[in-house]
């Protein structure tokens, strides 16, 4: 049985209550009082009655297929379906030529999983989202408790959240494209003509009508607000000859809002103005997105009017919750370490409530888990942050002595616990309890009358080192907690525990093959564990980088010694003794800054010089050449960061200092940033060669002083990065790069001697200059770095023991499979002679931001394994 990824409690007036739960592509209804299965529905099989349920219950099917003698409807194959073993049923197809049936390779096609369900106040109608086909479905609960689909509407983009308006006449749908639509809850399928004529929203046109009419943009001036989007809309409106290429939605709908970011949640709130006579109320639409925004818009029909923004989150906002007892308040959470409590109408943060620290404390506890009669202990895994998957409220019972208005229940992705906060009458929110559960929380339903929390867990995903086959029958599907007024605590003995036991027993009756189980587990992961994916990746590959960086720009981090030191140590903290050295966090372009030039790091663009050197006749060139650079003063923040980091390392591993090669710095100073053709650089070297050489010399002199002072501050080894060497021909390299690399290697030891310091090892890395390896081995450096263009064995032959070599794995291998990484490591180690002497393991260039830390760890572990080296320091 698949986990129940969605659940809700349906309290019906005059009828018994229901528990509605979605498992995969099926929706089941259970009696809340007995736990008896009442009905099951699937998009491909419809609903099943009691007789069909009896047949299904003994069929052993893992799907909620209606038992019938008719041939089943063919399922759509969604993205992500996979091939499995021959133990599964094969699909039979007819070959048009031979007219004989042939077997295809057996496949399991998982239907579109239900990603969200809500119910109206009467308990008669359920709104469900099926994600793969982007469909909003309305189901009716018939008098015999059978579930029957009454409408399906396929949206242009995948819906992420739905809610109902206060009068429950409209469905509000937010999608991942950033749009919010309003749809009528009911569509008379046999009366669409009346809907077209009478409904205030026009139905979409037919395909022929759409093709015959001029192109009309979907957006309007009411749905776009930024200057850029308004200009784009004007451009679209000016196109009159283009015809619409998209098929219009063929049902009543209205586009209410257009965002520029992926939406995550929405809420519809009606607020009554206190003291007004007669009572005055106004509705509002609240939306949250990946870009840390909460937008407050008016309700229908004025949803285009934006009342304000609630800005205070620094990471994505994934969930919004308006407490039942105070509709003027809002609780929001997402990727931050905390929740925020708002007075949302005035956009004021009332309280910041800690969350991550509570989750961390829970993870640190050692949990004893009896499974199959075996006692074992495990520490729950930690992650770099928390990702809120749900926020719910429970209103306190009347006359409670604790003076609480209610409770806030929070669930986080891959955290097997519920975090409970109490909401005091004075509006203060404080942590009350962290309740451990049997597995990762998938969804929660609140039972108001008994103050119970009904939760579902992922019974296929374990958080401890036990295989799937060991646990798939041990974890229940449902669990609950109930608030005990007498004990003033949350207890497991809830009034509906008997019903929960019955549902869990029913769920375990389904048998499935190991291949089917594993496939379905993998297929559902994108639906069950996708909240953390909303987090924007850091500019560096370690997740802690963005947290440390905060809202500072890149160079501000470089200029803040505490921040630079912390970022330097993050790889050491992450990988421990797998690393043998650290390199200070800084940038090669601090040298041009010291020379008086302005350098910025632009988002998605990289280094940028607003005013690059245009020619020797440019006044800025004369200023750079004439400036007496006080390196100690200009770059003091780098030296302080080195000293601070050296002290924190406490001699455990050496610390690298570095600078850019003069040629590389010249390229940036002239081009104004990175380039593909280096037009300005080539103009300089061929049109103004003498001025170019003079600037290279000036830069080399500053580099010598800069490296010397890094050694004085505590650097154990220094490296020169000539990153753009590959843009030079062999003859140009000998003229514009090599002399200045040699100047640094010759002058640095002399400058260190002047400072009464011992010489340190020096590394030179000339990326792309494969033709210059022999010359670099005689350039005065202790180590020559290699990019991935070098063949290791050939490099060893050329070096012939003159220098040690450093490198040279292609950084792209870290995107590959584990087998690919192992193959590369084995080949690289063999090429460098087994890695026992004269070789420093490194990548052929830097790690890119999209690399996963676990793949870096595997690379390092494979190096240790293949070379036979240990991680213990001698």
């Amino acid at each position: 049985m698949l986990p129940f990824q969605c659940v809700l409690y349906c309290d019906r007036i005059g009828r018994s209550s229901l528990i509605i739960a979605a498992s995969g592509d099926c929706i089941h209804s259970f009696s809340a009082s007995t736990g008896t299965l009442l009905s099951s529905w699937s998009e491909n099989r419809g609903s099943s009655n009691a007789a069909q349920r009896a047949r299904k219950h003994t069929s052993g099917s893992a799907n909620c297929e209606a038992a019938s003698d008719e041939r089943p409807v063919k399922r759509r194959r969604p993205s992500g379906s996979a091939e499995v073993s021959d133990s599964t049923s094969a699909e039979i197809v007819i070959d048009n030529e031979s007219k004989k049936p042939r077997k295809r390779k057996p496949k399991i096609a998982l239907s579109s999983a239900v990603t969200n369900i809500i119910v109206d106040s009467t308990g008669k109608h359920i709104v469900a989202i099926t994600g793969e086909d982007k469909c909003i479905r309305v189901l009716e609960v018939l008098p015999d408790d059978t579930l029957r689909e009454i409408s399906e509407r396929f949206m242009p983009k995948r819906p992420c959240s739905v809610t109902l308006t206060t009068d429950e006449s409209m469905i509000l749908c937010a999608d991942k494209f950033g749009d919010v639509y309003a749809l009528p809850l009911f569509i008379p399928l046999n009366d669409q003509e009346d809907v077209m004529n009478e409904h205030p929203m026009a139905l979409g046109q037919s395909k022929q009508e759409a093709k015959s009419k001029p192109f009309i943009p979907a957006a309007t001036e009411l749905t776009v607000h930024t200057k850029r989007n308004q200009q784009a809309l004007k451009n679209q409106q000016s196109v009159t000859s283009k015809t619409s290429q998209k098929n219009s939605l063929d049902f009543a709908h209205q586009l209410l809002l257009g965002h520029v970011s992926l939406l995550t949640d929405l809420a519809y709130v009606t607020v009554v103005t206190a003291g007004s006579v007669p009572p005055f109320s106004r509705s509002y639409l609240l939306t949250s997105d990946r870009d840390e925004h909460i937008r407050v818009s008016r309700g229908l029909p004025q949803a285009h009017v934006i009342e304000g923004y609630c800005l205070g989150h620094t990471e994505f906002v994934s969930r919004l919750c308006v407490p039942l007892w105070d509709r003027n308040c809002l609780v929001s959470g997402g990727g931050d370490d905390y929740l925020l409590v708002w007075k949302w109408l005035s956009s004021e943060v009332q309280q910041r409530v800690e969350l991550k620290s509570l989750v961390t404390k829970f993870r640190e506890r050692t949990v004893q888990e009896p499974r199959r009669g075996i006692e074992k202990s495990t520490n729950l895994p930690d992650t770099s942050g928390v990702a809120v998957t749900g926020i719910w409220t429970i209103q306190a019972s009347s006359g409670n002595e604790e003076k609480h208005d209610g409770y806030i229940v929070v669930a986080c992705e891959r955290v097997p616990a519920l975090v409970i906060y109490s909401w005091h009458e004075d509006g203060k929110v404080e942590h009350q309890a962290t309740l451990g559960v049997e597995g990762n929380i998938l969804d929660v339903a609140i039972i108001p009358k008994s103050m119970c929390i009904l939760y579902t867990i992922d019974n296929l995903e374990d958080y401890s080192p036990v295989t799937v086959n060991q646990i798939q029958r041990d974890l229940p599907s449902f669990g609950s907690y109930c608030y005990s007024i007498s004990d003033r605590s949350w207890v497991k003995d809830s009034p509906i525990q008997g019903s929960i036991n019955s549902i869990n027993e029913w769920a375990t009756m389904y048998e499935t093959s190991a291949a089917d189980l594993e496939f379905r587990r993998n297929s559902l992961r994108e639906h069950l564990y996708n909240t953390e994916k909303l987090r924007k990746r850091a500019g560096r590959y370690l997740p802690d980088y963005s947290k440390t960086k905060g809202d500072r720009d890149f160079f501000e981090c470089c200029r803040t010694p505490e921040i630079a030191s912390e970022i330097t140590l993050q790889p050491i903290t992450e990988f421990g003794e797998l690393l043998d050295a650290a390199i200070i966090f800084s940038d090669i372009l601090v040298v041009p800054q010291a020379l008086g030039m302005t350098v910025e790091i632009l988002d998605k663009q990289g280094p940028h010089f607003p005013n690059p050197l245009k020619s020797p006749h440019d006044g800025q060139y004369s200023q750079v050449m004439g400036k007496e650079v006080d390196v100690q003063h200009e770059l003091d923040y780098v030296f302080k960061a080195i000293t601070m980091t050296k002290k924190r390392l406490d001699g455990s591993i050496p610390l690298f200092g570095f600078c850019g090669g003069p040629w590389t710095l010249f390229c940036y100073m002239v081009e104004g940033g990175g380039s593909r053709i280096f037009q300005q650089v080539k103009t300089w070297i061929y049109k103004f060669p003498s001025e170019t050489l003079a600037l290279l010399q000036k830069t080399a002199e500053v580099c010598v002083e800069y490296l010397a002072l890094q050694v004085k501050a505590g650097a154990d080894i220094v490296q020169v990065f000539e990153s753009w060497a590959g843009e030079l021909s062999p003859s140009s390299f000998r003229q514009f790069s090599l002399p200045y690399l040699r100047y640094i290697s010759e002058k640095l030891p002399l400058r260190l001697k002047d400072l009464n310091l011992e010489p340190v090892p020096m590394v030179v890395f000339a990326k792309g200059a494969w033709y210059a390896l022999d010359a670099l081995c005689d350039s005065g450096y202790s180590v020559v770095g290699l990019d991935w263009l070098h063949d290791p064995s050939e490099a060893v032959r050329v070096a012939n023991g003159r220098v040690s070599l450093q490198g040279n794995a292609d950084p792209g291998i870290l995107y590959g499979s584990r087998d690919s990484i192992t193959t590369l490591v084995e080949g690289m180690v063999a090429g460098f002679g087994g890695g026992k002497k004269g070789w420093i393991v490194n990548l052929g260039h830097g790690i890119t931001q999209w690399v996963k830390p676990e793949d870096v760890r595997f690379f390092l572990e494979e190096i240790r394994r293949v070379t036979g080296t240990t991680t213990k320091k001698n």
Side-chain angles (χ1 to χ4, degrees), residues 627-785:
K627 182 175 181 179
E628 292 292 334
V629 182
D630 185 346
V631 177
Q632 179 67 64
H633 173 73
E634 296 284 352
L635 301 175
D636 182 60
Y637 55 87
V638 177
F639 311 135
K640 287 181 178 178
I642 290 174
T643 301
M644 187 179 298
T645 305
K646 180 74 171 178
K647 183 176 180 180
R648 295 175 69 180
L649 287 173
D650 195 26
S652 58
I653 55 176
L655 177 64
F656 272 71
F658 68 91
C659 73
W663 163 254
T664 297
L665 298 178
F666 170 78
C667 289
Y668 279 112
M669 294 162 72
V670 171
E671 288 288 344
S675 177
R676 291 184 179 180
I677 61 175
F678 289 87
Q679 175 186 354
Q680 301 303 323
V681 168
K682 299 303 175 67
T683 300
W684 270 76
I685 66 174
Y686 295 125
K687 195 171 184 179
F688 312 113
S690 59
E691 289 86 350
T692 297
L693 296 176
L695 182 54
L696 290 169
Q697 179 63 34
K698 173 81 172 182
T699 306
E701 292 170 0
V702 174
C703 288
V704 169
E705 184 67 11
Y706 180 41
L707 292 176
L709 293 179
Q710 288 187 58
V711 175
K712 181 181 179 182
D716 301 291
I717 184 171
V718 294
Q719 180 162 343
V720 180
F721 289 92
E722 194 70 292
S723 303
W724 294 119
E727 297 304 319
L728 291 167
S729 66
S731 61
S732 295
F733 180 80
R734 290 192 294 269
Q735 182 181 4
F736 295 106
S737 178
L738 186 59
Y740 304 100
L741 294 176
R742 283 177 171 162
Y743 178 87
I744 294 173
S745 68
E746 292 170 2
K747 298 300 181 181
L748 180 56
L750 298 177
R751 181 59 180 137
L752 292 176
K753 185 176 181 181
D754 292 342
L755 296 172
N756 295 318
L757 297 171
E758 294 294 324
V760 297
M762 295 181 291
V763 184
V764 64
F765 174 68
K767 183 177 180 292
W770 53 270
Y771 49 79
L773 178 57
D774 184 60
L776 289 170
C777 291
D778 287 331
S779 62
Y781 290 85
S782 315
V783 182
V784 174

Side-chain angles (χ1 to χ4, degrees), residues 127-156:
V127 180
I129 296 175
T130 49
E132 188 75 32
D133 56 8
K134 310 169 191 173
C135 187
I136 297 177
R137 304 171 189 275
V138 178
L139 278 64
E140 181 182 10
V141 182
L142 298 177
D144 64 353
D145 292 325
T146 299
L147 302 177
R148 179 174 69 93
E149 181 181 310
I150 60 176
S151 70
E152 60 178 20
R153 282 162 275 189
F154 296 93
M155 304 302 294

